[in-house]
Amino acid sequence: MHNPIELATRVGEELKSRRLLLSVAESCTGGGICHAITEIPGSSEWFDCGFITYSNSSKTEILDIPAALLAQHGAVSEEIAAAMAESAVSSSEAHVGISTTGIAGPTGAVPGKPVGTICFGWRVGGITHTERKVFSGDRKAVREQTVNYALQKLLMYVQEL
């Protein structure tokens, strides 16, 4: 497993070299991505802001995610992850957005969405990418894997620009 601060440093180098700003919309990671980013001196050069929208109402009120979309797909869905990443960009000065929404556990599983189910969104280069993963382990392990995976994929998408 990669160190999230090292991953965030690499993401920052890539964003800075392209003069791009990042914003983050987190649910299940509760600010873990933003924490890794802001551990890095100088991250203000490439990090604009973070939104922690844990409840459905905060997703609606802060990120303007339509309540009907939440009702249709549930908060843990690629559709909501996409909307979160897109809103992180449109609600900020950022060019690039990332989002996480999922079930870190130990409870919260629903049919078809076991504990460890995480949906990701990345908004890079005007394109929104999403992915659903199921991680194993306890709550802490699921959240750590989520932060690392989110940053690894962001690094890949930014490098492809």
Side-chain angles (χ1 to χ4, degrees), residues 73-135:
H73 298 287
V76 181
S77 63
E78 289 184 64
E79 291 83 0
I80 297 304
M84 289 173 68
E86 291 165 359
S87 184
V89 172
S90 66
S91 301
S92 69
E93 297 296 315
H95 312 96
V96 175
I98 187 172
S99 68
T100 59
T101 183
I103 306 166
T107 61
V110 296
K113 296 178 185 176
V115 168
T117 301
I118 308 295
C119 293
F120 298 88
W122 299 272
R123 179 82 175 159
V124 181
I127 299 169
T128 303
H129 308 270
T130 63
E131 191 170 343
R132 176 183 159 153
K133 300 273 291 176
V134 179
F135 296 114

Side-chain angles (χ1 to χ4, degrees), residues 2-66:
H2 289 92
N3 176 321
I5 297 168
E6 290 174 9
L7 281 167
T9 300
R10 292 180 56 206
V11 166
E13 290 166 354
E14 294 292 334
L15 290 170
K16 188 176 169 185
S17 73
R18 291 165 173 77
R19 297 177 185 241
L20 298 173
L21 287 174
L22 171 67
S23 64
V24 179
E26 298 182 72
S27 184
C28 60
T29 46
I33 295 170
C34 292
H35 175 76
I37 289 167
T38 57
E39 283 290 303
I40 302 162
S43 58
S44 61
E45 295 180 53
W46 52 271
F47 179 58
D48 185 45
C49 64
F51 304 91
I52 301 172
T53 54
Y54 209 68
S55 68
N56 284 355
S57 62
S58 69
K59 288 174 180 66
T60 299
E61 293 167 17
I62 296 169
L63 294 176
D64 295 321
I65 307 298

